[in-house]
Structure formats: structure tokens, C-alpha cells
Amino acid sequence: MTLGKVREILKAQVLCGEENLNRKISIVGATDLMSDALCLLEEGALLLTGLITIQVVRTAEMLDLVGVVFVRGKIPPKDVIDLARKSNLPLLSTKYPMYEACGLLYTAGFKGKKVDVDS
């Protein structure tokens, strides 16, 4: 599945990186804590977040994420979008809240990181 499919499902606006919507997504994760993103996500993942600070782009760079989707219609400041553009990191924004956005992506077949819930 690709970022283009995410845009379609979430009726998302592309803030930057339109040319990278064909990137394939390995897993999807959602958090507002970048420390959780560092623990839960991996290269090729997509991050959903309500946090619109520069730390989101820095974390995405460190993890080599496919892109970031801001939920609840949030749009980051210009300096955040400029850094993402410079880093070749696609940014999208959806009006869906995080819970619904995750549900829509899960229903469409996107998966999260496997965890052992029996332990």
C-alpha cells in the first residue's frame, strides 16, 4: 500500500512531497510522543500524529519514515513544512481524529507493528 492510497482513504491534503505518493508503507503507527515513535516505528513506516513541531520531522528523518499524516486538520508551521520538503519527507493533513484515521487505515488493510499481546 502507498501514501497515495492513504491520501485517498483519509481524504488528506498533501502539504509537501506530492511527488512521493507512490512510496510503499510497511507499517502504520500513531502517537503524539516522539519517544514512542522511536520505540514503535521503523524504516518504511507511516506516522500519524497531532504534534506539529519540528521534532516530528527530526524523528521521521532518524527513522527514515515514508511520511507523516497530521490528524484533526492540523497543519504545521511553515518552518516545519520547509524542513520536511528539504528532507524529502511527505507531509499530509486529514480532518479525521487519530482514532478514526487509524481505524480507516486498518480496515483498508494497513497494519501496525506486531506485538505479543499474550505476554
Side-chain angles (χ1 to χ4, degrees):
M1 299 261 216
T2 65
L3 271 175
K5 186 70 174 170
V6 168
R7 178 181 68 173
E8 179 184 320
I9 293 165
L10 297 181
K11 300 175 185 162
Q13 171 188 359
V14 179
L15 305 174
C16 69
E18 177 109 27
E19 67 280 3
N20 294 313
L21 294 181
N22 62 341
R23 288 185 178 174
K24 294 199 183 298
I25 298 166
S26 59
I27 61 169
V28 176
T31 185
D32 288 339
L33 297 174
M34 292 304 100
S35 58
D36 283 353
L38 289 168
C39 295
L40 299 171
L41 299 178
E42 58 195 37
E43 181 180 340
L46 175 69
L47 172 63
L48 276 69
T49 187
L51 187 65
I52 56 170
T53 65
I54 209 88
Q55 286 80 11
V56 172
V57 175
R58 295 291 185 210
T59 302
E61 288 174 325
M62 287 175 50
L63 292 169
D64 198 18
L65 299 182
V66 170
V68 175
V69 177
F70 298 105
V71 296
R72 298 187 302 280
K74 290 190 171 191
I75 296 180
K78 182 182 180 315
D79 64 325
V80 174
I81 295 172
D82 289 345
L83 179 60
R85 187 175 287 116
K86 193 175 182 182
S87 301
N88 203 28
L89 176 70
L91 299 180
L92 291 83
S93 177
T94 182
K95 292 188 179 185
Y96 287 107
M98 192 179 301
Y99 180 77
E100 286 184 56
C102 290
L104 288 166
L105 294 178
Y106 184 83
T107 300
F110 287 91
K111 301 298 178 197
K113 188 171 184 177
K114 299 279 186 213
V115 293
D116 185 6
V117 293
D118 295 324
S119 298

